[in-house]
């Protein structure tokens, strides 16, 4: 790993560059908090913002981007299609709605948020094929520079690939110390699908974990910085969320130290200390 700052980039399978740390906004409330935290993140150097229709904060994210004064083309913006909008026609409508809320006519990355919403669980393969057809059209029309999925396991991606003309470039899943989802990670790597790590701090759970404290002391960094650095050294793209200016900045300062390979391994093995991913087939939404 040779990244020197949050703007250094991974390269997706289609050649698009994606800044190696993204600013997460799940649970960031719409309104002043979202506007000010995204502006703080941009001022702190982030050029990659991750939101979703279901987060309810797209309008604020869009406003923060405009008010930052940073050209739109210099910011990598991701949003996601929510469960009720699966299917070809609904996807195109949902894209327009997100686009309007964000105040931009293209996304850098558009993701299917969940593979198999309850509403479509009886025929999710067929519905995802229609959704993906719409994603491919958006991609071909340059309304999405990259397209991908989130919370997909191997079987969901394999089903998609049966009818896809374009393979997903990203899979965004829950990845943090102790939750490494080895099977889906290995599969995605074999298909050249970049893994984005949501909840890289275990939604904050890892911050108080005594196992992680040992490494914070050893490397003289915060637990959050250890988690983000670990994520990068594992080859994931972490998306830490914060609404606190000091912590937003702290989470960018992960390029002046390196975890030993043995420590990366040990941290990976703390199974469950930051919570675990759920089986998407059993989610009740
Ligand atoms: P806050 O937004 O008040 O900073 P994750 O990215 O895994 O979802 O974790 C997000 C949680 O971790 C939030 O509760 C966030 O709180 C907290 N958090 C983010 N960065 C830090 C940090 N550097 N130190 C302590 N807590 C943090």
């Amino acid at each position: 790993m040779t990244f020197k700052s949050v703007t250094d980039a991974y390269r997706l399978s289609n050649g698009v560059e994606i800044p190696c740390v993204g600013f997460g906004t799940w649970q960031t409330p719409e309104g002043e908090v979202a506007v000010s935290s995204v502006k703080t993140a941009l001022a702190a150097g982030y050029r990659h913002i991750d939101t979703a229709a279901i987060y309810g904060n797209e309008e604020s994210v869009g406003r923060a981007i405009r008010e930052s004064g940073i050209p739109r083309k210099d910011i990598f913006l991701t949003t996601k299609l929510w469960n009720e909008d699966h299917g070809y026609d609904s996807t195109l409508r949902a894209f327009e709605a997100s686009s309007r809320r964000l105040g931009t006519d293209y996304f850098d990355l558009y993701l299917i948020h969940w593979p198999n919403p309850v509403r479509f669980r009886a025929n999710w393969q067929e519905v995802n094929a229609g959704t993906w057809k719409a994603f491919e059209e958006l991609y071909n029309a340059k309304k999405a520079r990259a397209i991908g999925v989130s919370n997909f396991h191997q079987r969901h991606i394999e089903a998609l690939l049966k009818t896809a003309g374009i393979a997903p470039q990203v899979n965004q899943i829950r990845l943090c110390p102790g939750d490494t989802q080895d099977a889906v990670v290995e599969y995605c790597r074999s298909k050249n699908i970049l893994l984005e790590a949501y909840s890289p701090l275990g939604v904050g759970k890892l911050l108080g974990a005594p196992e992680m404290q040992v490494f914070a002391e050893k490397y003289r960094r915060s637990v959050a910085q250890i988690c983000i650095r670990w994520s990068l050294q594992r080859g994931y793209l972490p998306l830490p969320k914060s609404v606190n200016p000091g912590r937003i900045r702290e989470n960018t300062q992960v390029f002046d130290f390196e975890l030993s390979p043995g420590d990366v391994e040990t941290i990976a093995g703390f199974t469950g200390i930051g919570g675990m991913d759920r089986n998407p087939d059993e989610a009740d939404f």
Side-chain angles (χ1 to χ4, degrees), residues 221-285:
R221 295 296 187 286
S222 69
V223 170
Q225 289 169 326
I226 301 288
C227 292
I228 296 164
R229 179 76 202 184
W230 174 87
S231 194
L232 287 167
Q233 287 188 224
R234 295 275 298 185
Y236 315 143
L237 191 157
L239 302 166
K241 172 266 177 187
S242 179
V243 295
N244 173 288
R247 298 197 279 268
I248 289 171
R249 285 190 284 275
E250 178 187 318
N251 295 347
T252 66
Q253 289 154 13
V254 295
F255 300 95
D256 58 351
F257 72 105
E258 185 169 357
L259 302 170
S260 74
D263 288 346
V264 170
E265 198 61 35
T266 302
I267 291 170
F270 291 142
T271 306
I273 63 167
M276 293 300 277
D277 55 284
R278 63 163 95 201
N279 180 347
D281 293 333
E282 289 168 7
D284 58 356
F285 48 81

Side-chain angles (χ1 to χ4, degrees), residues 9-264:
Y10 284 105
R11 191 181 288 272
L12 299 177
S13 59
N14 65 346
V16 166
E17 295 202 331
I18 177 167
C20 68
V21 178
F23 183 63
T25 64
W26 179 45
Q27 295 184 333
T28 298
E30 169 79 343
E32 205 35 53
V33 174
V35 173
S36 69
S37 58
V38 171
K39 277 162 111 174
T40 301
L42 291 168
Y46 290 88
R47 289 294 178 273
H48 174 174
I49 312 290
D50 184 272
T51 184
I54 191 65
Y55 299 172
N57 56 22
E58 288 178 313
E59 280 183 22
S60 297
V61 169
R63 199 176 119 204
I65 289 174
R66 284 190 300 283
E67 290 181 4
S68 73
I70 297 166
R72 170 70 186 87
K73 67 171 178 40
D74 294 342
I75 296 171
F76 192 100
L77 177 63
T78 299
T79 194
K80 314 184 190 85
L81 177 84
W82 187 237
N83 290 358
E84 65 210 31
D85 296 320
H86 283 211
Y88 178 80
D89 292 325
S90 309
T91 297
L92 294 178
R93 276 197 300 272
F95 173 90
E96 290 304 329
S98 279
S99 173
R100 211 168 34 247
R101 286 190 294 268
L102 283 159
T104 179
D105 56 3
Y106 75 97
F107 308 144
D108 294 279
L109 176 62
Y110 199 30
L111 302 176
I112 305 181
H113 207 144
W114 278 95
N116 50 5
V118 169
R119 190 170 157 199
F120 302 113
R121 202 154 285 165
N123 61 340
W124 60 268
Q125 294 95 329
E126 195 187 316
V127 176
N128 282 353
T131 301
W132 196 250
K133 185 167 179 284
F135 268 51
E136 292 181 335
E137 284 182 17
L138 293 166
Y139 179 81
N140 287 330
K142 303 201 183 327
K143 292 183 170 185
R145 295 178 63 228
I147 49 177
V149 295
S150 182
N151 298 295
F152 274 49
H153 285 185
Q154 178 168 343
R155 61 188 173 281
H156 307 123
I157 298 175
E158 279 174 345
L160 198 71
L161 291 176
K162 282 188 186 157
T163 53
I166 301 167
Q169 288 123 17
V170 167
N171 188 13
Q172 182 181 126
I173 58 175
R174 193 181 196 284
L175 291 165
C176 68
D179 186 8
T180 55
Q181 301 216 50
D182 297 338
V184 61
V185 165
E186 196 181 315
Y187 174 73
C188 287
R189 290 199 163 138
S190 77
K191 296 282 177 198
N192 202 8
I193 297 171
L194 181 76
L195 291 147
E196 293 188 334
Y198 74 73
S199 305
L201 316 177
V203 204
K205 263 203 195 106
L206 288 160
L207 304 165
E211 295 91 336
M212 295 304 295
Q213 201 55 46
V214 172
F215 294 95
E217 280 158 26
K218 175 171 173 183
Y219 290 96
R220 297 173 188 278
R221 295 296 187 286
S222 69
V223 170
Q225 289 169 326
I226 301 288
C227 292
I228 296 164
R229 179 76 202 184
W230 174 87
S231 194
L232 287 167
Q233 287 188 224
R234 295 275 298 185
Y236 315 143
L237 191 157
L239 302 166
K241 172 266 177 187
S242 179
V243 295
N244 173 288
R247 298 197 279 268
I248 289 171
R249 285 190 284 275
E250 178 187 318
N251 295 347
T252 66
Q253 289 154 13
V254 295
F255 300 95
D256 58 351
F257 72 105
E258 185 169 357
L259 302 170
S260 74
D263 288 346
V264 170

